[in-house]
Amino acid sequence: MATPVPDPEAAAAAGLIQEFPPAKLYPLIELPVPQFITPAADYRAGIPIVLDLGTRQTRAGFATDSAPRFEFPTQIARYRDRKILRTFTLIGSDANLDANTRQAAKSPFDGALVANWEYLETIMDYVFVKMGVSSQGRIDNPIVMSEMLAAPLAQHKHMQELLFETFSVPSATFGIDALFSYHYNNGSNGLVISSGHETTHVIPVVDGRGILNQSKRLNWGGHQASSFLLNLLQLKYPHTPAKITPWQAEMLVREHCYTAPVSYGDEVEHYLDRDDGFDERNHIIQAPFTEVIAPVKSEEELAKIAERRKESGRKLQEQAAKIRLEKLQQKEQELEYYRHIENKSDQVSAKEFKRLLDAEGLSDENELTKIIKNLDKSIRRSRKQDLGDGEEESDAEEMTFPLLDIPDDQLDSEQIKQKRHQRLLKSNYDARMRAKAEKEREQEKKEEEERKDEEWRERDLQGWIKDRRDQRASIMNRMKEKQRLKADLNNRRSLASQMRMKSIANLASDSPNAGTTTPTGANSAGSARKRRREDGEDDGFGVDDSDWAVYRDIANASDTEEDDEMAESIRKIEEQLMVYDPNFSLDTSLEAQNNWMNSLVHAFLRGSRPFDPSSRAEAHQLHLNVERVRVPEVLFQPSIAGIDQAGIVELASDVLSRRLSKNDSAKVCKDVFLTGGYSLLEGLDERMRHELRAALPVDTELGIRRAEDAILDAWKGMRKWVNEEENLKNHMLTREEYLEYGPEYMKEHKMSNKALV
Amino acid sequence: MASTTPPSSGSAQFTLFDADITMAPKPFRNPSHKTPTRRIKNSKQIVSDEIKRIQSLPDEARTAALVDTPTYMNVEAPPSVVPRKWWCDITGLKAPYRMPGNGMRYHNKEIYEVIKHLPPGVDQQYLQLRSANVVLR
């Protein structure tokens, strides 16, 4: 995007420059240093292992723990060190150990689904290693795992295969993370809105059981939001040297984005206005950078350098003076020599003198006198220069042309020659004089005009102001017209462009000004021109000066000279208006209109302060303003990100008012429950309250609450669920059942997906 | 090569050798089980397989799956029925205008100037953010 170049001088001239307090900067967060997870030492067989396998993070722990033992990003890096010929497999935050492995890190997920089961198996290995599982050939613990809503059967089947075949677990079960989270928060009737890393789910729950066939999935989560923000920033600052990683973009969403409290339109309406709150709305992210520090010289060194420079300057001056002096001396000698020859003309005979002149390579006495005169002049000039006084050599001394008035027949051949020379000189002189007079006349005219202008102004201020304003408007129009034309020329099909091609064709054609005749051929052009010259025909081109403009028109280059001229005249008129027109203020001037203070784009890109392109720090700054609301808004208006799905409010109100029975709906409305990592967005609950209130009948009892811990509650819910005796006894799929019914069999319970036949 | 004493939990001082999972002892794995090779499918393939699976079900079960049972496909949120609002493709502000030619939405004449002078191709990048770009095949 083009950045309007701020012109500090213009701002200063307009009196708009002001001091700014230092801006509040938010640092770009760096990836945390990975921490080692030691395998658990207190492993005991039989205690259920609770595993929340999320697309972003995986959490695991024993059912006896109050919180997961560890959590790590669900990623795997395979990296081969070619020097020692060894391949490392690193899981979770271990993959962030060094730059090579960080680059190789991949997720087993594609979107919300497990795409790579090799990776997933390795990640499960890692989990069980870190849980300290020490049983031989099998895992002696029931497993509780999370699963996405309505996962394809193949996903479920693969996961069961993995658990029962590869790890030989005694029993396992799967449930929807959002429902577990709600279970942990003691919910039984409510609408669960779970916004995770890859998806957002809306699940109504009645009597503790999810109504899954009325549930909906929106394909938008924290991951999509952060890559949306990243794309926006890359387009906003295409040339920034600052590099943002996807992880950092995720952090930016978490730290800086918030949901518009009432409506997006209201929130952004005045977002970029330069009012008092703008600095708070505009978050400046400072990416790390290295300041290039120019070595600063000490006072002493500077003095030394100055001294040295002076010294060398003086030396040069001396040298030049010496050379001048030598030249002068040489010239003086020459002058003396020629004078000597000149003097001889009186003493020796004419013939002898002629021979002397010949020896010098001179044709006659005149040439000698000319040389002498020239030498004399240059000597005088250089002496003057040495003396340093800039006395203007008056060229305007009255010149005399005595020979011109004498008729030719009274002169000898030599004098005729001289006379011709004098005539030339005289015409030259006359021309100079005429030019001078012209200049003076012009000066007078100008003064006269100014005087008249002033008179007019004093007589009729309003009329004068109107005239000036009209002038200004007409120049502005011309400038605009030029800009438009320039833009049009870029488009090959525009009228301006076609006119230009026509003029070019016309100039190149055999018969100019006859656009209808087509050139017969390229080779005929030369002969035609010749023919025209022979005929002595003239098309009259150039009689009018404006004819030449055709070349400027076809040149298609920006005419900076004319632009400058127009800008200058506007500036002059504005200066006058500023003095005499009470209604003309700084804000209306062209410069102020071009000023960055009034630029929306500048506010969007650079915030409330002037931008200094030379500052390294500012080059590494990213301004988050509208994006802070725009990115979270996708949840409500997925169309912003090109997703052809209904927003969460539309989904929720549809479920509440149309899909549930009246009785259920009334119960469910009382408890709208927000969970999942992306639901931590600031203001999401407020916005939901506001929008649902507007969408539901007036007397609806509406309750909105957030999960206690939107990220960990799914794990805690799974732990709570498995610690309930009945669940562990009746709702786990046992090994025997698995062997009997096969890997596609699914055991349903309150938290689980519906069995897909 | 590996350090003799394992690093303590929570320590940031550990190497690739400590972290490498391939070498860690995994006694819990079923030694007789052989993992099938190449189990990689992207989500598109997974979804199309699921569609095929449901279509190949016996009639009764298929009707049930399409109507009553939640499947990956039918829990997908439907398109919105509320009128779409337009926001400036560059700033995100209200966008009352539409650029003829590429269809970009813009806020005011200043943004219009910006759009007009975008380098070639960048307008499509902006449109891609809302999947409205022209895709040449």
Side-chain angles (χ1 to χ4, degrees):
Chain A
M1 203 193 307
T3 320
V5 180
D7 187 356
E9 271 174 44
L16 289 167
I17 221 147
Q18 59 189 78
E19 285 298 313
F20 293 96
K24 183 170 188 222
L25 299 178
Y26 296 86
L28 201 57
I29 303 169
E30 290 294 324
L31 204 62
V33 181
Q35 310 228 313
F36 192 73
I37 303 168
T38 326
D42 56 345
Y43 169 76
R44 268 191 296 140
I47 301 171
I49 290 178
V50 178
L51 179 56
D52 179 10
L53 180 75
T55 43
R56 181 165 181 273
Q57 283 204 306
T58 298
R59 288 158 283 266
F62 292 108
T64 46
D65 301 333
S66 59
R69 285 276 160 116
F70 50 84
E71 58 179 332
F72 59 88
T74 314
Q75 60 176 5
I76 172 169
R78 287 235 166 99
Y79 163 65
R80 184 161 179 81
D81 192 329
R82 286 175 199 282
K83 272 186 202 147
I84 57 171
L85 293 176
R86 185 174 153 172
T87 305
F88 295 94
T89 304
L90 305 159
I91 313 287
S93 55
D94 297 352
N96 299 333
L97 262 179
D98 74 33
N100 289 322
T101 55
R102 227 183 349 253
Q103 283 220 313
K106 288 191 189 87
S107 165
F109 289 94
D110 177 17
L113 301 170
V114 181
N116 193 325
W117 290 92
E118 320 278 324
Y119 287 172
L120 193 81
E121 189 179 323
T122 320
I123 288 172
M124 299 282 273
D125 276 343
Y126 178 83
V127 169
F128 294 129
V129 167
K130 295 299 180 187
M131 294 296 287
V133 178
S134 56
S135 49
Q136 293 296 315
R138 61 178 195 280
I139 290 172
D140 266 343
N141 308 68
I143 307 279
V144 188
M145 271 191 78
S146 61
E147 198 177 50
M148 82 173 295
L149 170 75
L153 187 62
Q155 297 267 304
H156 186 79
K157 176 185 150 203
H158 277 304
M159 196 60 95
Q160 286 199 149
E161 268 174 358
L162 189 66
L163 288 180
F164 285 103
E165 311 274 346
T166 314
F167 298 113
S168 310
V169 297
S171 62
T173 196
F174 299 88
I176 299 163
D177 49 355
L179 296 180
F180 280 124
S181 175
Y182 191 49
H183 180 61
Y184 180 73
N185 286 277
N186 302 316
S188 58
N189 290 299
L191 186 72
V192 178
I193 296 175
S194 161
S195 197
H197 190 55
E198 294 282 354
T199 53
T200 297
H201 286 116
V202 177
I203 309 171
V205 178
V206 176
D207 299 329
R209 188 177 277 276
I211 315 288
L212 300 190
N213 54 2
Q214 306 294 3
S215 303
K216 287 289 170 241
R217 180 191 69 237
L218 174 63
N219 297 328
W220 187 264
H223 178 209
Q224 284 85 353
S226 59
S227 56
F228 185 57
L229 178 67
L230 194 58
N231 285 333
L232 282 175
L233 286 178
Q234 275 162 354
L235 285 171
K236 189 172 177 179
Y237 301 103
H239 304 300
T240 182
K243 288 273 167 294
I244 313 168
T245 63
W247 186 84
Q248 282 169 330
E250 214 171 89
M251 288 301 118
L252 289 180
V253 173
R254 182 178 287 185
E255 304 278 319
H256 300 283
C257 289
Y258 68 96
T259 323
V262 175
S263 88
Y264 178 70
D266 290 352
E267 185 70 12
V268 297
E269 174 106 58
H270 299 292
Y271 215 82
L272 294 177
D273 291 2
R274 289 162 202 278
D275 51 21
D276 292 341
F278 183 51
D279 274 345
E280 264 155 55
R281 292 194 297 268
N282 182 50
H283 284 193
I284 307 173
I285 313 299
Q286 178 71 66
F289 67 99
T290 43
E291 188 72 79
V292 182
I293 302 162
V296 180
K297 294 200 173 75
S298 71
E299 193 89 359
E300 214 173 304
E301 277 177 311
L302 283 175
K304 223 184 241 172
I305 288 167
E307 182 60 34
R308 215 181 299 148
R309 195 171 291 151
K310 224 190 258 170
E311 178 75 10
S312 62
R314 207 167 45 74
K315 261 185 197 158
L316 268 177
Q317 270 177 356
E318 268 173 21
Q319 239 165 24
K322 210 170 136 200
I323 290 168
R324 265 208 309 278
L325 196 68
E326 272 168 14
K327 266 195 184 154
L328 189 65
Q329 277 169 349
Q330 201 187 340
K331 272 181 194 161
E332 271 171 353
Q333 277 170 8
E334 268 175 40
L335 182 67
E336 210 174 323
Y337 177 71
Y338 284 122
R339 282 243 168 88
H340 179 68
I341 294 174
E342 199 184 23
N343 289 342
K344 267 194 183 160
S345 70
D346 303 337
Q347 298 158 16
V348 297
S349 65
K351 206 174 171 190
E352 186 78 2
F353 185 61
K354 182 92 176 100
R355 214 173 53 234
L356 265 172
L357 287 180
D358 276 349
E360 290 304 319
L362 300 169
S363 55
D364 58 12
E365 208 181 331
N366 281 335
E367 207 161 326
L368 181 70
T369 44
K370 208 162 124 194
I371 286 176
I372 290 172
K373 206 176 163 191
N374 280 347
L375 275 173
D376 198 39
K377 220 173 173 179
S378 79
I379 287 168
R380 242 188 296 154
R381 202 188 298 137
S382 49
R383 276 207 182 117
K384 222 179 252 169
Q385 214 174 17
D386 266 5
L387 284 172
D389 56 356
E391 220 176 277
E392 273 274 323
E393 199 175 347
S394 70
D395 206 26
E397 61 185 276
E398 202 57 43
M399 287 179 84
T400 49
F401 310 101
L403 289 176
L404 285 186
D405 297 335
I406 305 166
D408 274 0
D409 48 5
Q410 290 173 20
L411 300 169
D412 57 14
S413 62
E414 190 63 25
Q415 281 171 321
I416 287 177
K417 237 188 210 168
Q418 270 190 2
K419 187 183 171 185
R420 210 177 293 146
H421 182 63
Q422 280 186 2
R423 187 177 290 139
L424 203 72
L425 282 177
K426 183 168 190 296
S427 62
N428 227 338
Y429 175 77
D430 286 351
R432 268 205 307 279
M433 285 300 142
R434 269 202 304 277
K436 210 170 165 186
E438 182 85 7
K439 232 183 199 169
E440 272 165 18
R441 258 204 309 283
E442 239 167 62
Q443 184 73 21
E444 265 168 36
K445 216 168 122 191
K446 213 171 155 194
E447 275 165 17
E448 172 72 16
E449 259 173 26
E450 263 170 34
R451 203 173 47 75
K452 268 187 182 161
D453 195 51
E454 209 165 316
E455 245 173 46
W456 181 20
R457 194 168 62 220
E458 274 159 18
R459 189 159 28 84
D460 172 21
L461 184 63
Q462 288 315 313
W464 181 85
I465 286 173
K466 189 180 173 299
D467 176 71
R468 283 299 132 105
R469 287 201 162 210
D470 287 351
Q471 275 183 29
R472 179 168 170 271
S474 88
I475 297 175
M476 295 252 253
N477 268 341
R478 235 164 61 214
M479 281 167 93
K480 256 183 214 156
E481 185 65 19
K482 266 194 79 175
Q483 271 170 2
R484 198 187 56 75
L485 196 72
K486 220 171 114 189
D488 271 5
L489 282 178
N490 290 333
N491 179 4
R492 219 157 44 85
R493 290 211 303 253
S494 69
L495 182 67
S497 198
Q498 279 174 1
M499 289 306 288
R500 174 171 169 262
M501 290 315 292
K502 218 174 190 173
S503 338
I504 291 177
N506 209 356
L507 284 171
S509 81
D510 302 347
S511 44
N513 297 333
T516 45
T517 57
T518 49
T520 43
N523 60 344
S524 72
S527 58
R529 206 167 293 136
K530 210 177 283 166
R531 204 165 51 237
R532 203 158 60 228
R533 209 177 296 140
E534 278 161 10
D535 294 351
E537 248 180 62
D538 193 356
D539 56 3
F541 185 89
V543 170
D544 187 354
D545 270 349
S546 65
D547 286 351
W548 299 102
V550 75
Y551 286 106
R552 206 191 54 215
D553 288 346
I554 66 169
N556 198 12
S558 62
D559 191 351
T560 46
E561 203 174 300
E562 205 187 343
D563 289 351
D564 289 350
E565 218 168 81
M566 285 199 279
E568 177 62 22
S569 46
I570 283 220
R571 205 185 52 76
K572 260 187 199 158
I573 293 173
E574 281 181 351
E575 245 169 39
Q576 290 180 331
L577 282 171
M578 202 81 84
V579 177
Y580 299 108
D581 184 355
N583 294 326
F584 191 85
S585 69
L586 274 176
D587 302 342
T588 33
S589 77
L590 186 66
E591 265 165 16
Q593 277 172 24
N594 291 335
N595 193 297
W596 62 268
M597 288 288 273
N598 300 324
S599 161
L600 178 84
V601 174
H602 187 276
F604 179 59
L605 290 175
R606 306 293 174 194
S608 61
R609 290 167 174 75
F611 176 60
D612 173 12
S614 63
S615 156
R616 299 272 300 162
E618 285 185 32
H620 286 76
Q621 280 172 3
L622 307 169
H623 293 249
L624 290 185
N625 36 55
V626 188
E627 294 84 2
R628 295 179 56 213
V629 224
R630 187 181 182 182
V631 171
E633 184 62 18
V634 181
L635 272 182
F636 299 91
Q637 299 177 51
S639 62
I640 291 180
I643 293 188
D644 192 19
Q645 290 188 309
I648 49 171
V649 171
E650 205 184 334
L651 292 175
S653 62
D654 188 53
V655 167
L656 293 175
S657 54
R658 300 234 319 262
R659 302 200 176 265
L660 293 179
S661 71
K662 241 194 174 140
N663 203 8
D664 287 347
S665 172
K667 278 194 279 182
V668 166
C669 281
K670 282 181 199 156
D671 191 18
V672 177
F673 176 76
L674 303 175
T675 184
Y678 191 51
S679 79
L680 289 173
L681 276 173
E682 190 189 325
L684 184 66
D685 45 351
E686 273 313 301
R687 175 73 180 276
M688 284 304 288
R689 194 188 316 280
H690 186 87
E691 296 245 347
L692 281 179
R693 170 64 62 217
L696 296 171
V698 203
D699 53 346
T700 318
E701 217 182 301
L702 188 67
I704 311 258
R705 64 168 170 147
R706 286 175 181 274
E708 207 180 286
D709 182 336
I711 293 174
L712 285 188
D713 278 0
W715 187 91
K716 288 179 178 168
M718 289 156 83
R719 183 189 132 261
K720 183 182 170 191
W721 184 86
V722 81
N723 280 337
E724 285 155 20
E725 191 70 27
E726 192 241 344
N727 290 333
L728 185 60
K729 214 189 282 172
N730 298 334
H731 296 307
M732 304 287 285
L733 179 73
T734 61
R735 188 167 178 75
E736 291 71 44
E737 285 168 319
Y738 171 79
L739 290 174
E740 192 177 339
Y741 302 123
E744 293 194 352
Y745 181 73
M746 187 188 280
K747 202 161 185 181
E748 282 184 29
H749 52 82
K750 276 186 172 179
M751 302 292 137
S752 78
N753 269 313
K754 271 225 165 153
L756 296 152
V757 197
Chain B
M1 283 265 233
S3 54
T4 43
T5 49
S8 58
S9 193
S11 158
Q13 300 291 314
F14 66 111
T15 62
L16 289 181
F17 295 97
D18 301 318
D20 189 9
I21 193 72
T22 22
M23 290 302 160
K26 292 182 271 287
F28 47 81
R29 283 179 74 96
N30 185 351
S32 58
H33 176 69
K34 275 207 184 97
T35 48
T37 49
R38 295 288 303 170
R39 291 167 296 161
I40 302 165
K41 267 182 187 164
N42 63 27
S43 58
K44 234 183 206 164
Q45 285 169 306
I46 298 170
V47 174
S48 77
D49 285 356
E50 178 77 354
I51 293 172
K52 267 185 220 148
R53 188 187 69 82
I54 288 173
Q55 274 168 354
S56 65
L57 287 174
D59 279 350
E60 211 173 301
R62 189 171 64 225
T63 334
L66 290 176
V67 176
D68 204 29
T69 322
T71 62
Y72 187 81
M73 285 69 67
N74 68 18
V75 295
E76 177 123 11
S80 177
V81 289
V82 293
R84 176 175 184 167
K85 284 179 185 151
W86 293 104
W87 308 105
C88 177
D89 278 314
I90 288 184
T91 60
L93 303 174
K94 210 167 123 189
Y97 314 107
R98 177 184 176 279
M99 189 88 178
N102 58 18
M104 277 179 84
R105 302 278 164 166
Y106 61 94
H107 178 64
N108 64 9
K109 64 174 181 182
E110 208 186 324
I111 309 295
Y112 172 78
E113 288 297 320
V114 171
I115 294 182
K116 220 167 63 172
H117 296 109
L118 281 181
V122 176
D123 55 342
Q124 291 303 314
Q125 287 178 23
Y126 272 106
L127 290 169
Q128 198 177 7
L129 286 184
R130 54 178 172 93
S131 313
N133 54 331
V134 178
V135 183
L136 295 174
R137 286 182 202 279

